[in-house]
């Protein structure tokens, strides 16, 4: 269950904090299983940028949409800088001769959980401009959402706290862009998968995806096959919002249609489709037994090394006759007494010599 706190600046209306009512929403097991199946190597294949034109239903150009997914650095829960998927998207267009746009940037975990996301949407109406900002930030064991709406000079701010465990299967806007690329790459949508999302009012709701099959469309004078996916956000109140995505085989977005919108997004230049790298199996070399005694070169090196060691040992004992005498005495007493505990006997034998040992800087 989430809790809310609302505040406003001196120009905003007074509002009070309320706790969300009703049982908490949960993503389906199929959705959780799909997210847990994601692999880091698979997501890294989907790191690229793309640009689409915003076109009215009558074919008039209205703006541009850019989406970029790349590797970004972010501190993990232990304060260590780690690499995560970073999503950045922006759109600027005209709607009835009014400038509007939105921007998005977010850091995701490798199973598409949202670590941090900041989104902004604006419509520059002549009389009453509107701006909406939403920030999501993981703080310890919860996900904090800060939502502010500015209409003219009036600003309303609302803060909502979601327990981290309750956000399993939650797909933010940033995660949705990467999730769609995964579905296109795999050419499949998980059956009966019910994810969590935020509606336009910032309330947690269900989000579902449906595969609409394949279709051939024209892109940059080429006929290409696209995989169609429809996402539906089931708002707590009001009618569901649906958006259709036409995706190329490597995850590039060829077309996006929001049901009921007077415009759509369309790719204008055919990208170079990426294919999965084929990893050739490593060659297997059978081990052959090495009979070095029969190898004249190895055997010659062995004899040379053996002679070098013998001369080195002999020279050292000649230079340190006390070492040979000490070892001889120890072996003599050891064989005479034949103790059961050789280590203790050696410690007692060599112990008196320790008081004569000069200090050493060696540490283990």
């Amino acid at each position: 269950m989430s809790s809310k706190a609302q505040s406003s600046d001196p120009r905003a209306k007074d509002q009070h904090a309320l706790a969300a009512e009703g049982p908490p929403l949960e993503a389906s097991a199929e959705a959780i299983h799909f997210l847990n199946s994601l692999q880091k190597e698979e997501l890294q294949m989907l790191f690229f940028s793309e640009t689409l034109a915003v076109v009215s239903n009558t074919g008039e150009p209205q703006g541009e949409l850019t989406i970029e997914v790349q590797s970004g650095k972010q501190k993990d829960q232990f304060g260590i800088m780690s690499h995560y998927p970073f999503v950045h998207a922006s759109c600027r267009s005209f709607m009835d001769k009014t400038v509007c746009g939105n921007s998005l940037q977010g850091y995701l975990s490798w199973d598409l959980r949202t670590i941090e996301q900041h989104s902004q949407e604006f419509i520059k109406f002549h009389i009453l401009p509107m701006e909406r900002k939403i920030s999501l930030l993981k703080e310890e064991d919860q996900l904090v959402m800060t939502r502010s709406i500015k209409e003219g000079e009036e600003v309303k701010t609302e803060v909502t706290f979601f327990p981290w465990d309750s956000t399993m299967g939650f797909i933010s806007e940033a995660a949705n862009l990467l999730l769609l690329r995964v579905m296109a790459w795999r050419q499949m949508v998980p059956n009966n998968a019910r994810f969590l999302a935020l509606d336009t009012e910032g309330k947690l709701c269900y989000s579902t995806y449906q595969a609409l099959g394949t279709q051939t469309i024209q892109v940059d004078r080429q006929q290409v096959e696209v995989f169609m996916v429809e996402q539906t956000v089931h708002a707590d109140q009001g009618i569901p919002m649906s958006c259709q995505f036409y995706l190329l085989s490597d995850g590039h977005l060829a077309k996006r249609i929001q049901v009921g919108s007077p415009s759509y997004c369309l790719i204008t230049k055919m990208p170079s489709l990426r294919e999965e790298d084929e990893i050739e199996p490593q060659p297997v070399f059978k081990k052959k037994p090495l009979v070095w005694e029969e190898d004249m070169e190895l055997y010659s090196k062995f004899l040379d090394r053996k002679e070098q060691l013998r001369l080195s040992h002999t020279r050292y004992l000649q230079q340190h006759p006390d070492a040979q005498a000490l070892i001889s005495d120890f072996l003599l007493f050891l064989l005479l007494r034949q103790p059961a505990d050789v280590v203790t006997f050696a410690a007692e034998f060599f112990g008196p010599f320790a008081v004569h040992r000069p200090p050493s800087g060696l540490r283990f």
Side-chain angles (χ1 to χ4, degrees):
M1 182 177 293
S2 63
S3 60
K4 297 183 179 181
Q6 296 181 331
S7 63
S8 60
D9 67 6
R11 297 164 293 181
K13 294 181 179 179
D14 233 355
Q15 300 193 28
H16 301 283
L18 292 173
E21 299 179 356
L25 303 180
E26 293 183 356
S28 66
E30 292 82 0
I32 302 298
H33 176 74
F34 187 82
L35 295 176
N36 289 337
S37 71
L38 301 178
Q39 300 293 323
K40 181 177 180 180
E41 294 76 13
E42 179 184 29
L43 295 182
Q44 288 176 329
M45 288 292 296
L46 305 175
F47 286 5
F48 55 81
S49 60
E50 55 188 342
T51 301
L52 292 87
V54 180
V55 184
S56 69
N57 290 333
T58 58
E60 298 176 357
Q62 293 186 325
E64 190 176 75
L65 167 67
T66 60
I67 302 173
E68 182 178 12
V69 182
Q70 61 183 15
S71 178
K73 288 185 177 181
Q74 182 80 334
K75 288 185 178 180
D76 61 15
Q77 57 182 338
F78 304 107
I80 301 174
M81 294 296 293
S82 301
H83 289 274
Y84 294 102
F86 173 70
V87 179
H88 177 256
S90 63
C91 179
R92 189 178 180 90
S93 61
F94 292 90
M95 182 177 64
D96 295 331
K97 298 182 180 181
T98 301
V99 179
C100 59
N102 53 64
S103 63
L104 166 74
Q105 58 180 10
Y107 289 92
L108 308 170
S109 66
W110 293 104
D111 57 356
L112 300 191
R113 300 196 73 176
T114 301
I115 301 173
E116 182 177 355
Q117 176 184 288
H118 302 281
S119 62
Q120 179 184 11
E121 180 183 357
F122 68 88
I123 303 177
K124 293 186 177 181
F125 293 118
H126 295 294
I127 300 177
L128 195 66
M130 189 276 290
E131 182 182 35
R132 179 172 59 186
K133 295 180 180 180
I134 299 179
S135 294
L136 298 171
L137 182 63
K138 182 184 183 301
E139 293 185 355
E140 297 180 353
D141 58 348
Q142 60 187 1
L143 184 66
V144 182
M145 178 182 71
T146 304
R147 183 170 177 265
S148 65
I149 299 178
K150 180 181 180 182
E151 294 180 339
E153 296 299 323
E154 182 180 331
V155 180
K156 297 178 182 178
T157 301
E158 177 183 85
V159 180
T160 307
F161 301 89
F162 300 99
W164 184 247
D165 292 340
S166 70
T167 63
M168 289 289 294
F170 168 67
I171 300 297
S172 63
E173 292 179 90
N176 177 60
L177 295 175
L178 189 49
L179 179 62
L180 288 167
R181 292 185 177 185
V182 173
M183 293 178 179
W185 184 261
R186 296 185 180 184
Q187 294 287 291
M188 63 86 67
V189 174
N191 293 324
N192 303 318
R194 186 182 62 204
F195 298 87
L196 300 180
L198 292 176
D199 61 16
T200 56
E201 298 300 320
K203 295 181 180 179
L204 209 59
C205 65
Y206 289 121
S207 174
T208 57
Y209 297 83
Q210 181 182 359
L212 302 180
T214 59
Q215 181 179 323
T216 301
I217 65 173
Q218 183 171 326
V219 177
D220 194 19
R221 300 180 181 179
Q222 297 185 43
Q223 296 294 318
V224 294
E225 187 176 84
V226 293
F227 180 65
M228 297 183 295
V229 178
E230 182 177 68
Q231 180 200 15
T232 302
V233 177
H234 305 268
D236 184 47
Q237 297 179 351
I239 61 174
M241 294 184 60
S242 297
C243 193
Q244 297 176 356
F245 301 87
Y246 296 66
L247 300 151
L248 299 177
S249 59
D250 68 343
H252 276 90
L253 181 60
K255 189 176 182 180
R256 187 191 73 174
I257 300 176
Q258 183 170 328
V259 178
S261 173
S263 61
Y264 61 94
C265 298
L266 180 67
I267 194 171
T268 57
K269 185 177 180 180
M270 184 65 186
S272 298
L273 298 182
R274 306 181 65 178
E275 297 181 358
E276 186 173 6
D277 296 334
E278 294 184 3
I279 302 176
E280 296 182 359
Q282 296 183 352
V284 178
F285 299 99
K286 294 183 179 180
K287 293 185 178 180
K288 296 182 179 180
L290 178 62
V291 186
W292 60 271
E293 295 92 338
E294 298 179 1
D295 189 305
M296 295 300 295
E297 183 178 356
L298 290 178
Y299 189 64
S300 175
K301 290 183 178 180
F302 166 74
L303 294 178
D304 291 343
R305 180 57 178 163
K306 182 178 179 181
E307 182 64 15
Q308 289 177 1
L309 291 175
R310 188 189 68 79
L311 294 175
S312 175
H313 296 166
T314 302
R315 184 165 56 252
Y316 178 82
L317 292 176
Q318 290 175 349
Q319 295 173 353
H320 301 83
D322 51 339
Q324 187 170 359
L326 186 63
I327 295 173
S328 298
D329 290 345
F330 171 71
L331 291 176
L332 176 62
F333 279 97
L334 180 69
L335 295 175
L336 288 175
R337 298 188 181 182
Q338 299 184 0
D341 189 347
V342 177
V343 176
T344 302
F345 177 79
E348 293 175 351
F349 179 84
F350 290 105
F353 296 96
V355 298
H356 303 293
R357 181 172 62 90
S360 173
L362 186 61
R363 295 292 184 270
F364 293 95

